[in-house]
Amino acid sequence: MRRIMDELVMTNLARPLSCSMFLLFSLLAEGQTGITVAGFGYRTPSNSISAAPGQAMAVSVFGVPARIPNPVFPVAMMNGLPTEVEGLSVTFVQGPISIPLPIRGVQQSSCPGTGVCSPATTFTIQIPYELSLDSDASATLEVRDAATVVAQVVVKPVTDAIHVINTCDQTGTYPGIASGLPAGACVPIVTHASGPLVTASAPTKPGEILVMWAYGLGAIEHPIPAICCSSPDQLPLATQPFNIGFTYSDASGTTFRRLAQEIPIYAGMVGEGLYQVPFVVPDAPTDLSTCAGVKGNLRVLVSGPNSSDGADLCVEP
């Protein structure tokens, strides 16, 4: 069953996989005024991030002197993505390990025409799998403008930091997969085996195998081959266990009730820090509510040792 499903996924999702570099985090920071806000709420801001090995994410910093008027999303060449864009680079450092990171995107928040401004500079990167949870050495990201370190960010290693990709992520998501959705609709990237998104107009059914697309599932059992993949068995699996819980919206449409729990068919990394998590849709309860618009009636939560994230889907009885 697993091999058949792997082949289905690899065959029918070949186009999205070939464009996986577009499924990346590139957060858009709000424009700054003369007063720069470093944080708000009830806690002091922290110059640190939590990240899992292989985590694809965006990191924003202040203090970069270079000005970037327009976002830059480099195109991968034969040697991969560049490690320097507009004179800027990001290096991962942990003890003796020092790795220049490929930059998938860099952009800055806007500034007013006059006045004092400290724009936030956002880098889209992938934390390397060399990030160690067991090392006594701290891990940092060093941002350089030419040869000068202009910002440092502490990385707190975690086993997993799951994020189910969503069409509302400001990430440069592969555009074709979201075509036909209503403007502003936030739809998780969960696909039918044939490729299209699960939506209210293309709902799933009990017993169907779906594929959830996510970042942050952590360490993998072996590196992905340089040329991948002639066989689905070449895909590296996540080394830690994950489970999937299901709750459903009852006939009232207001209460979610526990339905089932299962282990995903597998959790594998398909390149660029992008993971796929295939699972089987459980049987629908008799009091399942109907889907309204793009709102789902089945909530799917994927959980690991350290984190969880989920998606609301539309399922037919």
Side-chain angles (χ1 to χ4, degrees):
M1 168 63 77
R2 171 186 161 182
R3 184 174 184 87
I4 293 174
M5 178 54 199
D6 283 352
E7 292 173 348
L8 280 172
V9 171
M10 292 298 293
T11 300
N12 295 310
L13 297 183
R15 185 180 298 271
L17 285 181
S18 66
C19 300
S20 64
M21 70 181 66
F22 294 104
L23 288 167
L24 301 170
F25 288 94
S26 0
L27 299 176
L28 295 175
E30 294 294 329
Q32 302 294 314
T33 63
I35 298 175
T36 297
V37 177
F40 64 93
Y42 306 98
R43 295 183 180 181
T44 56
S46 174
N47 183 30
S48 65
I49 57 173
S50 295
Q55 182 99 35
M57 63 192 312
V59 178
S60 298
V61 298
F62 289 114
V64 175
R67 292 296 177 261
I68 305 172
N70 299 304
V72 179
F73 296 98
V75 176
M77 307 302 286
M78 291 188 63
N79 294 327
L81 289 164
T83 57
E84 182 176 310
V85 175
E86 301 289 323
L88 302 177
S89 62
V90 181
T91 301
F92 170 83
V93 179
Q94 187 177 31
I97 299 174
S98 180
I99 303 174
L101 301 182
I103 297 177
R104 302 173 177 182
V106 59
Q107 55 192 308
Q108 282 183 332
S109 56
S110 59
C111 281
T114 60
V116 179
C117 178
S118 177
T121 303
T122 300
F123 297 90
T124 301
I125 57 170
Q126 181 183 351
I127 301 296
Y129 282 101
E130 286 83 353
L131 172 67
S132 173
L133 280 69
D134 301 322
S135 174
D136 293 331
S138 61
T140 60
L141 299 176
E142 295 183 348
V143 179
R144 286 182 169 83
D145 188 340
T148 303
V149 176
V150 294
Q152 289 181 302
V153 179
V154 175
V155 179
K156 295 182 177 179
V158 294
T159 56
D160 53 272
I162 303 169
H163 174 73
V164 176
I165 301 168
N166 192 292
T167 58
C168 278
D169 292 338
Q170 297 177 9
T171 61
T173 301
Y174 178 50
I177 202 168
S179 62
L181 293 177
C186 294
V187 177
I189 306 296
V190 180
T191 59
H192 298 275
S194 56
L197 283 174
V198 176
T199 63
S201 59
T204 184
K205 296 181 179 180
E208 183 181 2
I209 295 176
L210 302 179
V211 181
M212 178 180 287
W213 299 86
Y215 292 121
L217 273 66
I220 51 178
E221 60 183 2
H222 62 79
I224 193 166
I227 301 177
C228 187
C229 289
S230 59
S231 168
D233 291 335
Q234 291 180 280
L235 290 178
L237 302 183
T239 60
Q240 56 198 354
F242 292 91
N243 63 70
I244 293 182
F246 301 90
T247 55
Y248 72 97
S249 176
D250 62 16
S252 69
T254 58
T255 302
F256 273 82
R257 301 182 181 276
R258 184 174 179 177
L259 177 59
Q261 186 167 319
E262 68 180 53
I263 297 174
I265 296 172
Y266 67 90
M269 198 272 288
V270 296
E272 308 289 348
L274 176 65
Y275 296 78
Q276 59 182 23
V277 185
F279 61 92
V280 180
V281 179
D283 293 337
T286 56
D287 59 341
L288 179 71
S289 69
T290 58
C291 287
V294 295
K295 180 181 177 181
N297 56 1
L298 179 69
R299 184 163 293 167
V300 184
L301 186 72
V302 57
S303 301
N306 180 73
S307 64
S308 63
D309 196 18
D312 287 355
L313 306 178
C314 186
V315 60
E316 290 182 339

